[in-house]
């Protein structure tokens, strides 16, 4: 029976040494006799023991990309470099927006808030995936799993809400340029950012709290790189129809609300631009180009993730890679897009970098003095 349990565990990408480690971590969940059942992803227990019961799941195993062989180190290097670029680029935007007095417009206020969200958003998932690639196995406690799930979804929704706020900001700047500073005052900006965070919290809390209250008494292997809601929901011991409906409903509310508001803003911008001259049109397009590019990439990548989950029998590894690209693509490209499209930001970054360069050593001139003898 020990051999049978080890064989099943190796089927999900865990070696005998990792199985021994799991047994030491929680002998009540991973036992040498029949305790391989909680680790079997094909088994669904009919027990109704609660999550916190003596026979309940006390931790989850994040499968990640454990099934990859030599490619794991290549993926690790690529993810690590991408994560470092995300941290560096977005931190630079936050720094220059807070320290450069020339970047005091509302647009840069919303931009560095978006960069802050992008940093925390990627930090909730990528380091966990990196540690799983190194260790070959990643375990997480049940409360930690749902905390990660909540923060990940909440920040994703908050990021879309901030993109919606930035679309409104572009609408006011183009359609009401003379009243722009009077409308987008600091209290209004703070109110819009607070609304974005509140919207993310309200849209995330119901589905996450329902998942947290469910019983997980059977399998505990999450076939994902982190505690993805749909992957964790498959481990529930019971019917999850209501959970699926609630999760889908709030996802639609999030996407439709933000998408319709962004689309409405750009329709109004288009109507206003159509009445301008050629020079003004080009200037208006340059003002919106960066934001419109980021929005297009964000919603396109979200569509790809949805298709990978709903259409076709994609392997778990493919879904994980697609999800990682979705989670990291927009935070990775945001600093590059705004730096390339926005001249003010580009010049501010150049000024900031020049301040940290070592001062040039000027060559000293030898002055020959002539002593006159009187």
């Amino acid at each position: 029976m020990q051999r049978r349990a080890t064989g099943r565990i190796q089927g999900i990408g865990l070696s005998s040494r990792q199985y021994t480690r799991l047994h030491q971590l929680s002998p009540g969940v991973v036992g040498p006799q029949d305790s391989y059942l909680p680790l079997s992803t094909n088994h669904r227990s009919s027990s109704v023991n609660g999550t916190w019961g003596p026979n309940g799941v006390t931790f989850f195993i994040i499968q990640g990309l454990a099934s990859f062989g030599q490619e794991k180190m290549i993926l690790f290097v690529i993810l690590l470099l991408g994560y470092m670029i995300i941290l560096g680029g977005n931190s630079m935007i936050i720094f220059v927006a807070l320290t450069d007095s020339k970047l005091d417009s509302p647009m840069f206020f919303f931009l560095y808030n978006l960069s802050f969200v992008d940093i925390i958003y990627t930090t909730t998932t990528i380091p966990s995936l990196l540690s799983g690639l190194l260790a070959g196995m990643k375990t997480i406690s049940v409360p930690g799993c749902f905390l990660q799930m909540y923060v990940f979804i909440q920040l994703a929704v908050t990021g879309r809400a901030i993109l919606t706020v930035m679309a409104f900001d572009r609408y006011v700047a183009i359609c009401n340029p003379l009243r722009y500073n009077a409308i987008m005052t600091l209290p209004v900006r703070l109110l819009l950012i607070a609304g974005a965070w509140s919207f993310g919290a309200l849209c995330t809390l119901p589905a996450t709290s329902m998942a947290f209250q469910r019983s997980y008494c059977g399998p505990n292997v999450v076939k994902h790189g982190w505690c993805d809601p749909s992957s964790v929901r498959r481990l529930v011991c019971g019917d999850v129809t209501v959970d699926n409906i609630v999760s889908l409903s709030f996802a639609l509310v999030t996407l439709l609300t933000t998408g319709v508001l962004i689309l409405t803003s750009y329709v109004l911008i288009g109507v206003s631009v159509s009445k301008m001259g050629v020079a003004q049109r080009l200037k208006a397009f340059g003002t919106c180009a960066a934001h419109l590019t980021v929005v297009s990439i964000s919603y396109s990548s979200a569509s790809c993730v949805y298709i990978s989950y709903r259409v076709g029998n994609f392997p778990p590894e493919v879904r994980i890679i697609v999800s990682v690209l979705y989670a990291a693509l927009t935070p990775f490209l945001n600093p590059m897009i705004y730096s390339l499209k926005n001249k003010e930001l580009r010049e501010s970054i150049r000024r900031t970098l020049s301040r940290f360069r070592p001062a040039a050593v000027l060559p000293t001139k030898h002055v020959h003095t002539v002593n006159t003898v009187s």
Side-chain angles (χ1 to χ4, degrees):
M1 190 64 69
Q2 175 86 21
R3 184 178 304 170
R4 181 182 178 187
T6 306
R8 292 201 176 198
I9 293 176
Q10 289 175 343
I12 62 170
L14 301 180
S15 62
S16 300
R17 182 180 300 177
Q18 292 166 350
Y19 165 76
T20 304
R21 180 183 170 188
L22 282 177
H23 177 58
Q24 293 173 351
L25 285 173
S26 182
V29 177
V30 185
Q33 298 178 357
D34 59 349
S35 57
Y36 64 89
L37 290 177
L39 294 173
S40 173
T41 56
N42 297 323
H43 170 75
R44 185 175 295 275
S45 173
S46 60
S47 173
V48 294
N49 292 327
T51 301
W52 307 108
N55 297 323
V57 171
T58 57
F59 66 93
F60 290 108
I61 303 172
I62 308 298
Q63 181 176 344
L65 299 172
S67 60
F68 279 71
Q70 299 296 330
E71 296 84 358
K72 286 197 297 184
M73 291 309 300
I74 299 176
L75 288 172
F76 176 83
V77 173
I78 294 174
L79 283 176
L80 180 61
L81 290 176
Y83 182 58
M84 292 174 63
I85 293 174
I86 290 172
L87 293 182
N90 287 282
S91 298
M92 175 61 73
I93 288 180
I94 295 173
F95 181 78
V96 298
L98 291 175
T99 58
D100 195 336
S101 58
K102 294 184 179 180
L103 301 182
D104 58 350
S105 68
M107 179 184 69
F108 296 108
F109 175 81
F110 297 129
L111 180 57
Y112 78 71
N113 276 276
L114 179 64
S115 295
F116 174 75
V117 170
D118 286 342
I119 290 175
I120 306 300
Y121 176 63
T122 52
T123 302
T124 59
T125 55
I126 294 183
S128 176
L129 192 58
L130 290 173
S131 63
L133 287 172
L134 283 180
M137 176 195 66
K138 176 69 177 178
T139 59
I140 186 171
S141 65
V142 172
C145 179
F146 288 103
L147 178 62
Q148 183 189 56
M149 181 190 301
Y150 175 81
V151 173
F152 178 75
I153 304 174
Q154 196 262 348
L155 291 174
V157 178
T158 301
R160 295 190 181 280
I162 293 178
L163 287 175
T164 306
V165 170
M166 295 176 73
F168 173 73
D169 173 72
R170 294 300 83 201
Y171 160 75
V172 176
I174 294 174
C175 299
N176 296 282
L178 299 179
R179 300 185 57 203
Y180 178 64
N181 291 327
I183 295 175
M184 302 302 294
T185 59
L186 181 59
V188 172
R189 284 179 268 168
L190 293 174
L191 184 62
L192 290 173
I193 290 296
W197 281 90
S198 301
F199 179 75
L202 292 176
C203 290
T204 306
L205 189 59
T208 307
S209 60
M210 289 180 64
F212 182 73
Q213 295 173 3
R214 293 295 184 181
S215 298
Y216 299 89
C217 50
N220 67 336
V221 177
V222 180
K223 289 188 175 182
H224 209 277
W226 54 84
C227 288
D228 176 70
S230 61
S231 300
V232 174
R233 201 177 299 126
R234 296 176 182 177
L235 308 180
V236 174
C237 300
D239 186 19
V240 292
T241 303
V242 177
D243 301 62
N244 291 329
I245 294 174
V246 171
S247 179
L248 181 61
S249 299
F250 279 95
L252 290 175
V253 168
T254 300
L255 293 175
L256 292 178
T257 302
T258 56
V260 168
L261 290 176
I262 292 174
L263 182 62
T264 302
S265 297
Y266 276 104
V267 168
L268 296 175
I269 289 174
V271 172
S272 179
V273 168
S274 64
K275 302 176 183 178
M276 299 179 181
V278 177
Q280 290 178 318
R281 290 180 184 179
L282 293 175
K283 185 178 179 180
F285 177 75
T287 304
C288 299
H291 178 263
L292 192 58
T293 303
V294 171
V295 169
S296 301
I297 293 174
S298 177
Y299 278 85
S300 299
S301 57
S303 301
C304 292
V305 172
Y306 179 81
I307 292 173
S308 69
Y309 272 83
R310 303 294 178 182
V311 179
N313 296 320
F314 291 101
E317 292 78 11
V318 175
R319 293 179 178 177
I320 294 173
I321 293 175
V322 171
S323 298
V324 170
L325 290 176
Y326 164 70
L329 186 61
T330 304
F332 180 85
L333 294 178
N334 271 353
M336 301 180 187
I337 294 172
Y338 279 100
S339 299
L340 292 174
K341 298 290 185 180
N342 192 281
K343 183 179 179 180
E344 294 178 348
L345 181 61
R346 187 167 60 249
E347 291 179 351
S348 177
I349 293 176
R350 187 181 296 113
R351 287 193 301 269
T352 302
L353 293 177
S354 64
R355 285 188 306 211
F356 291 98
R357 291 176 184 172
V361 179
L362 297 176
T364 58
K365 294 182 179 180
H366 299 283
V367 179
H368 298 281
T369 59
V370 179
N371 295 327
T372 59
V373 179
S374 55

